[in-house]
Amino acid sequence: MTILRRWLRRPIILAADNNGPWGGGGDDSAGPRNPWSVPPGGRRASGKPTALDEFLKKTRGGGGGGGGGRPQLPLGASARSLWLIGVGLLVAIWLLLTSFHQIGPQQRGVVTYFGKYSGMLEPGIRVTLPAPIVNVTKVDVEQVRTDEFPQDGGETVLTGDQNIIDLAYTVRWRVSDPRNYVFEIKDPQETVRATAESAMRAVLATTRMNDAIGAGRGLIEARVTQVMQQILDSYQAGVRVQGVSIKQASPPAALVDDFNAVTAAQQEAVGNLNNARSYSQQVIARAQGEASAFDQVYAQYRLAPEVTRRRMYYETMEAVLAKTDKTIVETPGVTPYLPLDRARKLVEPTQGASTAPAAPAQGGQR
């Protein structure tokens, strides 16, 4: 209630005193005197300056040493000069950073003028208008980028014969057209990844499982590279696919043992097939050698048929009778054939019996 009464009495007090909060204007005896007004004598009292005067002098730049000092600039002029210097430094830094461009040997600079393509900057130090009038985007055209698929372990893919395999592969690519690379696609990295996954699944959908996990990997890699390049060219992505490499292509873990057995059987079949081919080549070579020998004998036979016939007969009989026991009966007047080998066999037991020691004679002999 006390506060309310004071607020209600305030208009009455202000109406009674119309000369402001420091008392009457002309009569110094009617209330408190204004500290900023001139004393009643018309001038201030002589003496030393008060603390308030010293403070005002310092704030105005006059210093406290009297009238013999160096004149000081006003506070407003000094602040304005500092602001102009700061703005000038900022403008110089802005021009330096946005007008001079260092393009590396493996880079190209894509220049845009108010967002529109304007040209290409070659390697070196180049000067353009400052941003945002001209912007330069640096693109590395020599770096071969490598993406791993998948990023978090194996990827399950369905093959053309309705089987599934765990697949892991890498894709290598680089920038071939910086202008299209910057303007045609929003996120080149994600676009290349999505294209690679789509191409790999499309190719494996027409490939048998045995080819995917066996000797058909090279063909799959070549087909995926071709399909990826066709898709990216249709996007005008400015990307060149360097190659695709399959790191892992294996059956699921639950079927590893069965597939290992199948693989071992396939390898054994391949080994047997190679052995059969080697044997057939040996037989063919032997037959060709015999045919060549027969041709040579036939040529000799045509020159001397009787002699060649007799020689062939003797060679054949010699080959047939070489290891057989035989008795040859010749015509009269020819010494019969003596089978020395058989006589030797008959003589050897007789000689063994005759070499036995003789019994001593009884009764003694002189």
Side-chain angles (χ1 to χ4, degrees):
M1 294 298 294
T2 303
I3 298 174
L4 181 58
R5 290 194 197 98
R6 289 178 180 176
W7 277 100
L8 292 175
R9 292 175 58 189
R10 185 175 181 183
I12 301 173
I13 296 173
L14 293 176
D17 187 7
N18 295 327
N19 294 323
W22 303 106
D27 189 3
D28 294 336
S29 62
R33 184 173 60 85
N34 185 356
W36 305 102
S37 63
V38 180
R43 59 183 179 84
R44 294 184 180 273
S46 60
K48 295 181 178 180
T50 62
L52 180 60
D53 294 336
E54 293 290 338
F55 176 75
L56 291 176
K57 282 185 177 182
K58 291 180 180 180
T59 56
R60 292 174 182 175
R70 183 166 56 90
Q72 302 291 331
L73 292 175
L75 181 62
S78 178
R80 189 179 302 108
S81 299
L82 293 177
W83 271 104
L84 291 176
I85 294 173
V87 171
L89 289 176
L90 291 177
V91 170
I93 294 174
W94 169 64
L95 291 174
L96 181 64
L97 294 179
T98 61
S99 297
F100 294 88
H101 310 279
Q102 183 176 2
I103 311 298
Q106 74 282 1
Q107 295 177 336
R108 299 294 183 273
V110 180
V111 182
T112 56
Y113 184 78
F114 287 115
K116 182 179 180 181
Y117 176 76
S118 176
M120 197 79 62
L121 295 182
E122 296 297 326
I125 298 178
R126 307 299 176 183
V127 181
T128 62
L129 294 175
I133 301 174
V134 172
N135 290 319
V136 176
T137 302
K138 299 178 182 179
V139 180
D140 194 333
V141 297
E142 298 295 335
Q143 178 186 4
V144 177
R145 299 165 175 83
T146 302
D147 287 337
E148 302 286 339
F149 297 87
Q151 294 180 342
D152 52 355
E155 179 181 4
T156 302
V157 181
L158 183 66
T159 60
D161 51 359
Q162 304 301 316
N163 289 314
I164 56 176
I165 59 174
D166 291 336
L167 187 67
Y169 56 98
T170 59
V171 175
R172 303 181 306 278
W173 58 279
R174 67 176 183 86
V175 178
S176 60
D177 190 339
R179 176 182 178 181
N180 291 340
Y181 182 79
V182 173
F183 288 100
E184 294 297 333
I185 51 180
K186 180 180 179 181
D187 192 342
Q189 186 81 17
E190 292 300 324
T191 301
V192 172
R193 292 189 63 87
T195 303
E197 292 178 355
S198 176
M200 180 62 73
R201 292 182 180 276
V203 171
L204 287 179
T206 59
T207 305
R208 297 184 306 170
M209 181 177 182
N210 292 335
D211 296 333
I213 65 177
R217 290 188 180 183
L219 181 59
I220 294 174
E221 293 172 351
R223 291 178 59 190
V224 172
T225 302
Q226 182 180 4
V227 173
M228 280 189 63
Q229 193 61 59
Q230 291 176 354
I231 296 175
L232 292 173
D233 289 344
S234 66
Y235 295 161
Q236 296 183 357
V239 172
R240 174 64 57 184
V241 181
Q242 298 296 108
V244 178
S245 300
I246 298 177
K247 300 190 299 183
Q248 175 189 354
S250 60
L255 303 176
V256 170
D257 295 337
D258 296 335
F259 275 95
N260 289 339
V262 173
T263 302
Q266 292 176 346
Q267 293 177 353
E268 184 179 359
V270 172
N272 293 335
L273 180 61
N274 293 334
N275 293 334
R277 289 175 178 173
S278 177
Y279 176 75
S280 65
Q281 292 177 356
Q282 294 177 2
V283 172
I284 292 173
R286 187 182 304 113
Q288 291 176 348
E290 293 178 355
S292 177
F294 179 81
D295 292 339
Q296 294 178 0
V297 172
Y298 178 71
Q300 296 296 328
Y301 177 79
R302 292 182 61 184
L303 296 176
E306 185 63 28
V307 175
T308 304
R309 188 184 303 112
R310 185 175 301 175
R311 178 182 174 184
M312 293 175 61
Y313 173 78
Y314 290 155
E315 290 177 353
T316 303
M317 295 302 296
E318 181 179 2
V320 172
L321 303 175
K323 297 182 180 180
T324 59
D325 295 335
K326 49 190 173 295
T327 301
I328 300 176
V329 178
E330 295 290 346
T331 58
V334 179
T335 304
Y337 170 76
L338 181 61
L340 297 178
D341 54 347
R342 181 175 298 178
R344 188 179 299 109
K345 293 178 182 179
L346 295 176
V347 171
E348 286 178 356
T350 305
Q351 292 178 353
S354 61
T355 56
Q362 295 181 0
Q365 295 182 358
R366 295 184 180 181

